Amino acid sequence: MTEPVLSLRGISKRYGPLQVLKNVSLDVYPGEVVALLGENGAGKSTLSGIIAGSRTPSEGSMTWLGQNYAPATPREAIDKGVVLIHQELQLLPQLSIAENVFIGRWPMKNGVIDRGQMVRRAQEQLSRLNLHIPATRKVAGLSTASQQLIEIAKALALNARLLILDEPTAALGGTETEALFEQVRKLRSEGVGIIYISHRMDEIKRITDRIVVLRDGERVQEFADSATPVRTIVESMVGRSLDRLFPALPQPTDRPVLQVSGLTSPEGSFRDITFEVHAGEILGIAGLIGAGRTELVRAISGADPISAGSIRLEGEEIRLRSPKDAIAKGIVMVPEDRKDQGLVVDHRIGENIVYANLDKLSGKWITARAKQRLAQKAVVKFGVKGRAEQHASDLSGGNQQKVVIAKWLMRDPKVVVLDEPTRGIDVGARAGIYDIIVNLAKQGVAVIVVSSDLEEVLGVSNRILVLAQGKQAGILSREEANDVSVMELATI
Amino acid sequence: MVALDINEQSGPSGGWLKKLSGATGPLIGLLALCIFLSISTDAFLSLRNGLNILDQITVLGIMAVGVTFVILIGGIDLSVGSVLALSMMVMGWTANIAGMPMPVAIGFALVASAASGLVVGLLVTVFRVPAFIATLAMMSAARGVANMITDGQQIVGFPDWFTMLAIDRHFGILTATVFLMLAVVLAAWIFLHFRAEGRMLYAVGGNPEVARLAGINTQVVTIGVYVVSAILAGLAGIVLAARLDSVQPSSGFGYELDTIAAVVIGGTSLSGGAGGIGGTLIGVLIIGVLRNGLNLLNVSPFLQQVIIGVVIVLAVGAETIRRRRA
Amino acid sequence: MVALDINEQSGPSGGWLKKLSGATGPLIGLLALCIFLSISTDAFLSLRNGLNILDQITVLGIMAVGVTFVILIGGIDLSVGSVLALSMMVMGWTANIAGMPMPVAIGFALVASAASGLVVGLLVTVFRVPAFIATLAMMSAARGVANMITDGQQIVGFPDWFTMLAIDRHFGILTATVFLMLAVVLAAWIFLHFRAEGRMLYAVGGNPEVARLAGINTQVVTIGVYVVSAILAGLAGIVLAARLDSVQPSSGFGYELDTIAAVVIGGTSLSGGAGGIGGTLIGVLIIGVLRNGLNLLNVSPFLQQVIIGVVIVLAVGAETIRRRRA
Amino acid sequence: AELKKVGLAVANLQANFFNQIKQSVEAEAKKRGIEVITVDAKGDGPTQVNQIQDLLTQNIGALIYIPAGAAAATVPVKLAKNAGVPVVNVDRNAEGAPGDTFLATDSVASAKNVCDYILKQAGGKGKMVIIHGQKGTTPEVDRSKGCAESLKAYPDVKVVAEQYSNIWGQDEGFQIMQNMLQANPDISIVFAQADALALGAAQAIKVGNPSQKIVLGGFDGDTAALEALGKGVFDVTATQQTQKMGRDAVANAVKLAAGEKVPPVQLMDATLTTKDNVAGFIANHP
Ligand SMILES: Nc1ncnc2c1ncn2[C@@H]1O[C@H](COP(=O)(O)OP(=O)(O)OP(=O)(O)O)[C@@H](O)[C@H]1O
Ligand SMILES: Nc1ncnc2c1ncn2[C@@H]1O[C@H](COP(=O)(O)OP(=O)(O)OP(=O)(O)O)[C@@H](O)[C@H]1O
Ligand SMILES: [Mg+2]
Ligand SMILES: [Mg+2]
């Protein structure tokens, strides 16, 4: 066998008293795709950061092509050919796509930036990913999916010898994921070493050669064969057996809670949408990226205005001018972007939970104890791994997501909208979130789940509304719905 | 279990000190300053001088409370000095030229202040003018109006009971104006810590979009905060009028930067969402004690400017170094 | 393949207007102002008055370039007025009291300015003092030092060739100082648009963490920007000295807010990462034309303050409304 | 009692006029072996009240008070009297609470002299502009009044524009003059109410390079301005006797501290200064 491009030996990382990585060793060979799996908070991103020079290990050593390797800055790592696609988007919204793709390494000619070349080369990278947007456009206002693809284009433009992809597909739909895989396979055949991090098991099986599992910062197991049954891999990740991902759905009642008819957005991102959700029912909303799902549910929860149509709650027509109106009436939304819309990440978990319940406390004295009780109850009830007085930014993505859900469910809502509820969340935690969703339905709540993960919509929905380019393509019952029928409607 | 509303900045443990929201560094600075001055001058450590300092910080203290609110929601207010002047002139004109009773004059002054705050609030929320620009414009406009009321002239001489508010030391200790400042500080502290509306400021400052999606009416909060800041600036103007027994339209020139400095020295973050009143009080005291001390030390006026610059940096830089160690 | 994003198709087209990055509203405001003044006063629309306005904005224009850089990286610089005074006094002292040749004096002045910028830059990066506080402290300290150089006295009378720089209109049009300002503006524009270092400012201002991960040395960029801003403030001080044929330590008082206002009116965002020199030039012109016009109209000084406030808001608010329509 | 320590509260050290008084007070006190504690209000009235409180805390024997702000505040004098400290007001005096004595230039008369001079120089006719100080301040009001009296005798002089400065600054003078020349190219007489304004205006005239001769008068007798006057940069000023004011202030403070009586108002002339007599003032400022 050839030399590994990168070897890690005994890497540990501590944040104060918290040990995030323990004695991790890993080799990556040219032309292979290594899957790095683990629960939220297992230390995958931390390890990636260490390899890419954005964090320094507390202990341990690395070698790069046989040489000692200890990058002090991301720049050093990039110069060697180690490229990391971060889990969080790292784009500058005010600059053009082309400038983002070449950030910090803009092509120069005669001492000035060669804009012509820059745009041309950026455009090439975009088309490799089937993204047909002018590279001169500003990043601001692009959908999350497009931004994620630009992030990938940024890495592709770097001629990496080792590419780390930290959950690149969390914000992508099926077609975009295919385009990405094609590029990954191409790089692999060119001898690039690849570390691939994802929570989507189907992807892991399709694209990776070898699976390394981290648990609580330790390397617990390696599966040389990607044909290993998912159940085995998952058990190794979570340290216990997970009998099923999706719980049994309850039978919905025939009492409609939310009725939407002819709903149209002012910008036309969705048009003439009509459906109803019953008490105890879970309605899935599926569609391709950019189909207008997020816009639709934002309008239902009062975050965006509508230009036509009506919303009825328990038979009564309601007008929503702001999220405040919707919340007061019992409609709450878990937004798709937890960092920008769901949480004040610099504030404590407890404070974040209180923020969603301030109207209940309004006019009364908020004592520390009252807040504490509310927050602690939420933390315990929804199994957040953390304490109420911790900062939200200290939690892993999955636990942050649970905090967002918890802050709303403390209100006993009538309608709960969840937009991409398990984006970036590990299988174990995912099962927990599905349990929460199904429990809500059991208690008679009307639930709407928007998801780009087809398995997920199929698994938790009583019925599925499919959107295609802003139009309602159809509603499928649980019996009618399968990946083929949903995709057919979605690509109309 | 640890109390929840401990400071917004650092770890979960710790006692009352933590309530100061990241102002531990400045607090240490303040104490060091006081110890140094007590040793190096005779006059500093005396009840009389302490009371003088309290007198001297009333105006700054009252304004700083309003500006703390503004900075907490991630805004900025450059208009407080001018609104203070506007309030003074409205009060002086109503009382001494229109001849109405003092309480009515004070009422008018506060209404005029509130109105300028409302204009700023509407500009910021409805017309999306950046707070820096909206309040800069108000700084210019309110000063102009204050000047126009009497064509730039001052007005002297108010009823005795009014000026006595700033002079009479009740129980031999606190003047009514100092008492007013302490009451404002206390009320603001309670409001921020224990009222839902107070916590809303932190939410809006932390992330306005998250706050809006959480059902907080960010526009109302923002407008309210600018109105309160302007009213407190107006109140500070009234206190100043009592202290000077006169009003003049050039009053409060340059106070906006002093006030913001006090708030930021006290640990409230200019990006919003973190900080509090306790820190602001420390910031105000640092500025007050420093000015008082430099005068007592007989430092030449030009050197004073240099020292003030250095101490401001030390007070804020100490906090950074303390945190880095932790 | 399904088109990804409807709005994302709107292309790269758009002419030179787009280059002004969000300053179209202010540009319209500037034009409206000029048209109004041309109609309402005879004196406004003449070559000579145009050249006067250019003369009058040189100092502000040069400082605004440096402050644009600072605001682009998400910082703020309150020290420019004081650094200007420091530079003037260092130059005056070196030339007239130490008796060295003018070019040496100018060199010393620029070195002193650069040093104060370096101190600010180090405070901001290494000691993590917020830029607002670091530059506020420098504002106080540099003013104090400027005063101490001559114990508050002014220095009058420089060589003829020096003062002629601000007087002699070469080819009957541009004085050397106006030419210098235009050169600074042009160089800055080219730097920001075409040099990698210029684009780094946008990256650091847009998101310092992203910039860091992309391998940009944000600390060096930040320090460099504060040094350049201080040097330009010092250069503005030299221009002012030539213009007034004298230096005094009170010069430049309050210029910091004027400068920031000009930059922000020109569409550069106070949160960093967006804006540019073209907009700043428009902002500087709006302020210059407005002051000139109000004087030509013989508007009373108090009313001028009100009008300036209103125009600032209109210039910035117009941009918002324009964008909302679009 | 013998005066050992005197407090000096200056309105604004950035103004040359006040700075000269300060230096004179400090020099005189040093000669007499008296300690001076100087504070600078930077033009802000409330700051000055604070500073005077601090001075009184240090048991000064007398207070030399140059009031800050548009007009004098009464509170500092009241505070000092409460503490039993005698007060020498300089330059400005507050109605209702005057100091024990008041030293100042007779601004109205001196301004009249300056205007008389420039109007005569201009041949008693022509277009005139006035650059005022900060609107509403005592010196601005007095100097306007003095000049207005002078103008009564010259019906052929037409005042075509008046503008106000905000901080009595040189660059303001420059800008205002430049704009005035723009609006009225044929003016021949300028009265600038302070030397800094006059210096700025002179520079603007130099830049504008008009065909007619423009007569320019200032006020104050700032050290730098006197030198400029000697070089013919402008035509006339009224030199205030800052050195004498400083010396007298200390002398009066000493007398008051000893319990002696002094006159409540002591006005002194500002000497009309032109190129002819300026040399003496430069060598030895009055
Ligand atoms: N700067 C930090 N300070 C303290 N703790 C941190 C810091 N960064 C990460 N952690 C902690 O380190 C642990 C590992 O985090 P990491 O982001 O590497 O997890 P991950 O495996 O990538 O999880 P996910 O699947 O959610 O992305 C978590 O418990 C996290 O809370
Ligand atoms: N902030 C924005 N500014 C401009 N256009 C936007 C913005 N956000 C979304 N859009 C556009 O609105 C359309 C619908 O996007 P939406 O986010 O609703 O799609 P979606 O089906 O929810 O996909 P996703 O999985 O990305 O959330 C897309 O064309 C998108 O580009
Ligand atoms: Mg991760
Ligand atoms: Mg979506």
Side-chain angles (χ1 to χ4, degrees):
Chain A
M1 203 166 187
T2 47
E3 279 272 291
V5 271
L6 177 82
S7 310
L8 311 186
R9 289 291 168 267
I11 295 288
S12 295
K13 175 74 185 174
R14 266 184 300 273
Y15 288 109
L18 185 72
Q19 177 127 23
V20 177
L21 289 176
K22 286 172 213 146
N23 196 21
V24 177
S25 298
L26 177 69
D27 290 318
V28 184
Y29 293 89
E32 72 162 349
V33 182
V34 181
L36 196 56
L37 297 190
E39 287 182 289
N40 293 124
K44 306 178 294 292
S45 297
T46 308
L47 192 66
S48 320
I50 288 172
I51 297 171
S54 58
R55 307 180 196 209
T56 43
S58 314
E59 280 159 41
S61 63
M62 296 187 276
T63 55
W64 173 254
L65 299 169
Q67 308 268 312
N68 219 5
Y69 171 68
T73 62
R75 177 98 227 180
E76 270 180 51
I78 292 171
D79 288 346
K80 289 220 156 64
V82 180
V83 176
L84 166 62
I85 298 176
H86 289 264
Q87 186 170 12
E88 313 299 338
L89 286 171
Q90 303 287 345
L91 296 174
L92 297 164
Q94 296 302 324
L95 297 188
S96 70
I97 295 172
E99 282 194 286
N100 269 288
V101 169
F102 290 102
I103 180 169
R105 303 169 323 278
W106 298 285
M108 304 291 286
K109 197 169 84 185
N110 304 329
V112 299
I113 292 174
D114 184 350
R115 272 170 207 273
Q117 192 200 350
M118 179 172 81
V119 170
R120 203 177 54 246
R121 279 172 52 194
Q123 202 73 60
E124 275 165 27
Q125 298 298 346
L126 296 185
S127 44
R128 277 169 81 180
L129 294 163
N130 274 331
L131 186 63
H132 302 290
I133 309 174
T136 45
R137 194 190 183 287
K138 261 197 203 173
V139 167
L142 295 181
S143 66
T144 318
S146 306
Q147 296 196 25
Q148 183 66 55
L149 289 175
I150 293 166
E151 193 71 65
I152 292 165
K154 214 168 122 179
L156 292 182
L158 276 170
N159 299 321
R161 304 199 54 181
L162 176 74
L163 181 64
I164 308 170
L165 299 109
D166 194 352
E167 296 193 41
T169 55
L172 297 185
T175 26
E176 292 80 17
T177 304
E178 284 314 317
L180 171 67
F181 282 3
E182 201 177 299
Q183 297 305 317
V184 170
R185 286 192 197 103
K186 187 158 163 272
L187 290 172
R188 174 168 58 185
S189 67
E190 289 165 4
V192 175
I194 292 166
I195 297 177
Y196 191 93
I197 300 171
S198 177
H199 291 297
R200 293 188 179 171
M201 287 303 156
D202 52 332
E203 291 177 359
I204 300 292
K205 304 205 62 118
R206 286 183 47 205
I207 193 82
T208 64
D209 303 312
R210 189 153 66 92
I211 296 169
V212 172
V213 177
L214 286 184
R215 194 199 309 151
D216 296 331
E218 271 177 295
R219 176 179 167 149
V220 288
Q221 212 162 354
E222 171 167 347
F223 302 96
D225 182 4
S226 59
T228 316
V230 171
R231 170 176 295 248
T232 319
I233 302 171
V234 169
E235 270 172 21
S236 141
M237 276 167 62
V238 300
R240 64 191 149 87
S241 68
L242 202 67
D243 41 349
R244 44 147 195 86
L245 201 51
F246 299 105
L249 298 190
Q251 192 58 37
T253 66
D254 52 9
R255 179 172 64 88
V257 177
L258 185 75
Q259 292 160 293
V260 170
S261 76
L263 214 61
T264 303
S265 89
E267 303 91 35
S269 45
F270 57 88
R271 298 176 297 281
D272 200 16
I273 307 291
T274 303
F275 66 86
E276 57 181 45
V277 193
H278 293 209
E281 184 183 34
I282 303 172
L283 177 77
I285 301 185
L288 297 179
I289 301 282
R293 296 162 300 174
T294 296
E295 260 78 358
L296 173 62
V297 293
R298 277 175 64 88
I300 291 170
S301 48
D304 288 338
I306 52 171
S307 59
S310 69
I311 301 172
R312 288 166 171 279
L313 183 68
E314 296 179 324
E316 253 178 73
E317 177 152 0
I318 53 172
R319 295 223 156 275
L320 306 174
R321 270 155 297 138
S322 67
K324 189 180 162 117
D325 290 350
I327 293 161
K329 298 213 155 65
I331 304 176
V332 301
M333 175 181 65
V334 175
E336 66 179 336
D337 184 339
R338 60 182 165 263
K339 285 242 161 69
D340 279 345
Q341 300 170 351
L343 291 172
V344 184
V345 284
D346 295 334
H347 288 187
R348 291 162 196 289
I349 297 168
E351 289 292 347
N352 270 293
I353 288 168
V354 167
Y355 291 155
N357 295 280
L358 279 174
D359 55 332
K360 288 202 235 154
L361 300 161
S362 166
K364 288 197 220 105
W365 297 106
I366 307 181
T367 59
R369 187 185 297 169
K371 280 198 291 190
Q372 176 63 21
R373 212 183 297 128
L374 182 73
Q376 202 55 39
K377 199 165 115 194
V379 166
V380 171
K381 185 166 168 192
F382 297 100
V384 178
K385 273 189 220 147
R387 298 180 317 270
E389 64 275 5
Q390 260 184 315
H391 289 249
S393 54
D394 289 348
L395 293 188
S396 69
N399 282 306
Q400 287 183 356
Q401 185 72 359
K402 284 186 190 166
V403 174
V404 186
I405 297 179
K407 82 174 186 181
W408 287 124
L409 298 192
M410 296 311 285
R411 301 186 59 98
D412 301 322
K414 293 175 188 150
V415 178
V416 175
V417 179
L418 301 108
D419 195 357
E420 309 284 0
T422 62
R423 177 174 284 179
I425 286 174
D426 71 54
V427 253
R430 198 183 291 195
I433 288 172
Y434 297 145
D435 283 342
I436 295 172
I437 292 173
V438 170
N439 269 332
L440 281 175
K442 280 190 186 138
Q443 289 157 29
V445 176
V447 184
I448 298 177
V449 175
V450 176
S451 180
S452 302
D453 184 338
L454 210 48
E455 190 196 0
E456 176 171 300
V457 227
L458 292 170
V460 297
S461 311
N462 293 109
R463 287 183 303 145
I464 297 175
L465 165 67
V466 185
L467 293 189
Q469 294 182 45
K471 286 203 292 276
Q472 180 165 352
I475 299 184
L476 300 170
S477 70
R478 193 167 172 77
E479 293 70 39
E480 298 163 328
N482 55 50
D483 25 6
V484 178
S485 61
V486 170
M487 281 316 283
E488 261 172 14
L489 283 179
T491 48
I492 281 175
Chain B
M1 194 71 221
V2 194
L4 241 184
D5 64 326
I6 41 188
N7 79 60
E8 308 293 331
Q9 312 262 359
S10 54
S13 66
W16 63 273
L17 247 177
K18 292 270 169 160
K19 288 238 197 275
L20 293 172
S21 325
T24 333
L27 181 61
I28 295 168
L30 177 62
L31 293 177
L33 199 62
C34 289
I35 292 170
F36 170 76
L37 289 171
S38 303
I39 295 169
S40 54
T41 79
D42 300 334
F44 182 77
L45 196 67
S46 68
L47 178 65
R48 184 174 150 196
N49 195 49
L51 297 179
N52 274 355
I53 293 176
L54 278 183
D55 270 349
Q56 292 170 5
I57 62 169
T58 38
V59 171
L60 183 62
I62 292 174
M63 287 200 300
V65 167
V67 172
T68 304
F69 290 170
V70 172
I71 295 182
L72 269 182
I73 64 161
I76 191 116
D77 195 344
L78 298 171
S79 69
V80 286
S82 295
V83 170
L84 170 144
L86 177 66
S87 157
M88 284 174 95
M89 295 316 293
V90 168
M91 187 196 80
W93 186 89
T94 316
N96 287 25
I97 297 182
M100 294 201 224
M102 254 344 244
V104 176
I106 293 174
F108 275 19
L110 294 180
V111 169
S113 312
S116 40
L118 185 64
V119 170
V120 168
L122 290 174
L123 285 174
V124 170
T125 52
V126 180
F127 296 95
R128 305 272 171 80
V129 178
F132 193 94
I133 290 294
T135 58
L136 185 75
M138 181 53 77
M139 167 180 163
S140 183
R143 177 75 61 194
V145 174
N147 269 311
M148 283 160 73
I149 290 173
T150 57
D151 200 19
Q153 301 292 319
Q154 66 170 355
I155 299 173
V156 183
F158 295 112
D160 252 7
W161 67 262
F162 180 67
T163 51
M164 275 306 160
L165 294 175
I167 295 175
D168 242 14
R169 293 212 162 131
H170 298 280
F171 321 112
I173 309 188
L174 296 187
T175 58
T177 48
V178 169
F179 185 79
L180 177 68
M181 177 195 72
L182 295 178
V184 166
V185 168
L186 189 70
W189 186 80
I190 290 174
F191 171 78
L192 279 184
H193 268 261
F194 297 111
R195 302 294 297 195
E197 294 76 11
R199 301 317 295 176
M200 284 181 192
L201 304 196
Y202 285 90
V204 171
N207 185 331
E209 181 62 7
V210 173
R212 190 179 81 93
L213 291 177
I216 294 170
N217 194 330
T218 51
Q219 300 222 340
V220 169
V221 169
T222 304
I223 294 173
V225 162
Y226 282 102
V227 169
V228 168
S229 173
I231 290 178
L232 287 175
L235 192 63
I238 291 162
V239 167
L240 192 56
R243 195 166 152 73
L244 297 178
D245 192 19
S246 69
V247 295
Q248 53 189 40
S250 62
S251 296
F253 185 77
Y255 283 21
E256 52 283 343
L257 291 184
D258 274 1
T259 314
I260 296 170
V263 173
V264 179
I265 289 172
T268 296
S269 153
L270 276 170
S271 46
I277 292 293
T280 294
L281 189 61
I282 292 175
V284 168
L285 279 170
I286 285 182
I287 291 187
V289 168
L290 189 59
R291 294 213 173 127
N292 171 268
L294 290 174
N295 287 340
L296 295 187
L297 285 171
N298 200 3
V299 175
S300 93
F302 296 147
L303 189 56
Q304 286 202 10
Q305 296 179 314
V306 178
I307 296 178
I308 287 176
V310 173
V311 172
I312 288 179
V313 161
L314 284 183
V316 176
E319 174 67 17
T320 311
I321 290 164
R322 192 187 66 83
R323 269 196 216 151
R324 201 174 294 176
R325 288 242 179 87
Chain C
M1 180 77 218
V2 190
L4 255 177
D5 286 291
I6 306 158
N7 314 28
E8 291 169 15
Q9 302 295 337
S10 83
S13 68
W16 60 274
L17 248 176
K18 287 245 168 153
K19 289 245 192 280
L20 291 171
S21 341
T24 333
L27 182 62
I28 295 168
L30 177 62
L31 293 178
L33 199 61
C34 289
I35 293 171
F36 170 75
L37 288 172
S38 304
I39 295 170
S40 54
T41 79
D42 299 335
F44 181 78
L45 196 67
S46 67
L47 177 65
R48 190 169 150 198
N49 194 50
L51 296 179
N52 275 355
I53 293 176
L54 277 182
D55 271 347
Q56 292 170 3
I57 62 171
T58 38
V59 171
L60 184 62
I62 292 174
M63 288 201 301
V65 167
V67 172
T68 304
F69 290 171
V70 172
I71 295 182
L72 270 182
I73 64 161
I76 191 120
D77 195 343
L78 297 172
S79 68
V80 286
S82 295
V83 170
L84 171 142
L86 177 65
S87 157
M88 284 174 95
M89 296 315 294
V90 168
M91 188 196 79
W93 186 88
T94 316
N96 287 25
I97 297 182
M100 293 200 226
M102 246 359 236
V104 176
I106 293 175
F108 277 19
L110 294 180
V111 168
S113 313
S116 41
L118 185 64
V119 170
V120 167
L122 290 174
L123 286 174
V124 170
T125 52
V126 179
F127 297 95
R128 304 271 172 81
V129 178
F132 193 95
I133 291 295
T135 58
L136 186 75
M138 182 51 76
M139 168 180 162
S140 184
R143 175 77 60 196
V145 174
N147 270 309
M148 283 160 72
I149 289 174
T150 58
D151 197 20
Q153 299 291 326
Q154 58 177 351
I155 298 172
V156 182
F158 295 110
D160 250 9
W161 67 265
F162 180 66
T163 51
M164 275 304 161
L165 294 175
I167 294 177
D168 241 13
R169 293 212 161 131
H170 298 279
F171 321 111
I173 309 188
L174 295 188
T175 57
T177 49
V178 169
F179 185 79
L180 176 68
M181 176 193 76
L182 295 179
V184 166
V185 167
L186 189 69
W189 186 79
I190 292 174
F191 173 78
L192 281 185
H193 267 261
F194 296 109
R195 296 285 304 178
E197 294 78 11
R199 301 317 290 175
M200 284 182 191
L201 303 196
Y202 286 88
V204 171
N207 186 333
E209 181 61 10
V210 172
R212 191 181 76 86
L213 293 176
I216 294 170
N217 192 331
T218 54
Q219 299 219 341
V220 169
V221 169
T222 304
I223 294 174
V225 161
Y226 282 102
V227 169
V228 168
S229 174
I231 290 178
L232 287 176
L235 192 62
I238 289 162
V239 167
L240 190 57
R243 199 167 143 74
L244 298 177
D245 192 20
S246 71
V247 295
Q248 53 189 37
S250 63
S251 295
F253 183 77
Y255 282 20
E256 52 283 343
L257 289 185
D258 273 3
T259 314
I260 297 170
V263 174
V264 179
I265 289 173
T268 297
S269 154
L270 275 170
S271 44
I277 292 292
T280 295
L281 190 61
I282 293 175
V284 169
L285 279 170
I286 286 183
I287 292 188
V289 168
L290 191 59
R291 296 225 170 112
N292 172 272
L294 290 173
N295 285 340
L296 293 185
L297 286 171
N298 219 351
V299 176
S300 98
F302 301 150
L303 191 56
Q304 286 200 12
Q305 296 178 312
V306 177
I307 295 178
I308 288 176
V310 172
V311 172
I312 288 179
V313 160
L314 285 183
V316 176
E319 174 66 16
T320 312
I321 290 165
R322 194 187 64 83
R323 276 205 205 140
R324 200 174 295 175
R325 286 240 181 89
Chain D
E2 194 195 335
L3 185 59
K4 291 212 186 67
K5 207 197 254 180
V6 65
L8 170 63
V10 188
N12 185 4
L13 278 181
Q14 304 283 349
N16 184 268
F17 169 65
F18 296 131
N19 201 1
Q20 285 185 38
I21 298 176
K22 173 211 163 208
Q23 288 168 352
S24 166
V25 166
E26 286 176 347
E28 178 71 14
K30 196 171 174 200
K31 210 157 63 188
R32 294 173 181 247
I34 301 169
E35 184 192 348
V36 189
I37 305 175
T38 308
V39 289
D40 173 18
K42 297 201 200 85
D44 187 42
T47 301
Q48 197 165 41
V49 174
N50 294 347
Q51 292 175 334
I52 285 170
Q53 266 185 335
D54 293 342
L55 289 176
L56 295 173
T57 314
Q58 296 172 81
N59 301 318
I60 51 172
L63 173 66
I64 299 173
Y65 171 40
I66 312 176
T74 55
V75 176
V77 178
K78 286 184 187 161
L79 282 173
K81 294 239 164 105
N82 269 349
V85 173
V87 181
V88 180
N89 269 52
V90 178
D91 190 48
R92 299 172 200 176
N93 210 0
E95 256 174 73
D100 295 293
T101 185
F102 172 48
L103 307 176
T105 298
D106 187 347
S107 286
V108 180
S110 305
K112 183 170 180 300
N113 288 342
V114 170
C115 281
D116 281 345
Y117 182 88
I118 51 176
L119 292 173
K120 203 155 81 211
Q121 285 286 307
K125 61 179 193 303
K127 288 192 181 173
M128 177 179 181
V129 293
I130 301 177
I131 303 174
H132 290 259
Q134 187 187 356
K135 190 168 181 179
T137 58
T138 316
E140 187 271 322
V141 172
D142 286 353
R143 291 170 197 182
S144 302
K145 202 158 129 201
C147 197
E149 268 174 35
S150 168
L151 272 165
K152 278 186 204 147
Y154 295 91
D156 291 339
V157 173
K158 195 164 162 266
V159 178
V160 291
E162 298 184 51
Q163 292 271 335
Y164 295 81
S165 107
N166 282 317
I167 55 166
W168 306 81
Q170 201 170 335
D171 43 345
E172 277 183 306
F174 184 98
Q175 202 139 320
I176 291 172
M177 190 68 219
Q178 199 170 36
N179 291 334
M180 280 177 158
L181 269 175
Q182 185 58 40
N184 308 282
D186 52 347
I187 45 183
S188 57
I189 312 165
V190 181
F191 176 43
Q193 291 186 345
D195 281 348
L197 295 173
L199 283 175
Q203 190 74 5
I205 293 169
K206 193 169 165 192
V207 173
N209 198 16
S211 50
Q212 75 279 18
K213 156 87 181 143
I214 297 180
V215 189
L216 172 58
F219 203 102
D220 283 344
D222 288 352
T223 31
L226 291 178
E227 278 174 39
L229 189 69
K231 291 185 198 145
V233 172
F234 68 113
D235 300 291
V236 61
T237 191
T239 305
Q240 301 203 61
Q241 304 188 39
T242 49
Q243 298 302 312
K244 180 164 157 48
M245 257 183 221
R247 284 192 305 271
D248 285 7
V250 177
N252 278 287
V254 169
K255 283 187 195 160
L256 285 166
E260 284 177 48
K261 273 209 111 33
V262 298
V265 178
Q266 309 179 44
L267 290 186
M268 43 194 101
D269 271 342
T271 324
L272 197 70
T273 313
T274 63
K275 206 170 177 171
D276 302 331
N277 61 352
V278 74
F281 292 137
I282 293 173
N284 206 346
H285 201 283

